Amino acid sequence: MGRRWFAYGNAAILELPAVVPLKGHRATPEGSDEWRKMVAAAARIGPGGAGASTFMSPLEKACGNAIAKAGGSYVVLSPEGFGPRWHPPREKERFCAKGRMLFLSLYPADTKKPDKATLYNRCHEMVDLANESLPSSKA
């Protein structure tokens, strides 16, 4: 993707035939056309593919649930880096153990948590880079 990324998890996910970037805004109303279309697209990501997102907004979380049900994998774009003792959140451990999850960040581990505006900007930057860089986003 042209920049150094920090990673934790199964890097082979990036070689899957379909790695689909997903960007959902917090303001998207649940049940709207945009919501339904994006969740339906995520539900089509099966075992041969992955969704790439921060999975932070309610819409992105709904897409993550649809991907999980369909047997797909995740590329979680993290606005915070990973320290040497970092591990995935407890609810994500089973996906990591099955090789279905990769965490990526452009940022090294900080000693202090960045403010909300910085985190927001980092999320958008990484999803935009994924949109530009992933081959399946150009189809």
Side-chain angles (χ1 to χ4, degrees):
M1 292 184 191
R3 292 180 58 184
R4 181 180 175 180
W5 290 76
F6 298 88
Y8 180 96
N10 184 2
I13 290 171
L14 295 174
E15 304 301 323
L16 290 172
V19 181
V20 182
L22 303 164
K23 184 176 183 178
H25 297 279
R26 290 191 182 281
T28 304
E30 186 173 352
S32 67
D33 283 343
E34 180 182 352
W35 182 289
R36 286 193 305 274
K37 285 178 186 176
M38 199 163 155
V39 171
R44 290 190 294 273
I45 299 171
S53 177
T54 61
F55 296 102
M56 293 177 113
S57 75
L59 175 52
E60 290 169 350
K61 287 177 183 178
C63 289
N65 291 335
I67 292 167
K69 280 184 178 178
S73 297
Y74 299 86
V75 177
V76 180
L77 305 173
S78 176
E80 299 178 69
F82 318 116
R85 297 175 206 244
W86 186 89
H87 59 86
R90 196 165 216 41
E91 68 273 7
K92 308 283 192 255
E93 286 177 345
R94 66 186 168 110
F95 290 103
C96 282
K98 292 179 180 179
R100 291 178 57 194
M101 190 163 272
L102 172 65
F103 289 85
L104 290 177
S105 183
L106 281 173
Y107 307 97
D110 292 328
T111 53
K112 66 177 191 159
K113 186 172 181 154
D115 61 46
K116 284 186 179 186
T118 300
L119 291 173
Y120 180 85
N121 290 333
R122 287 178 176 186
C123 287
H124 280 275
E125 177 186 14
M126 287 186 296
V127 173
D128 291 344
L129 278 171
N131 262 320
E132 294 169 13
S133 302
L134 291 170
S136 60
S137 67
K138 301 193 184 353

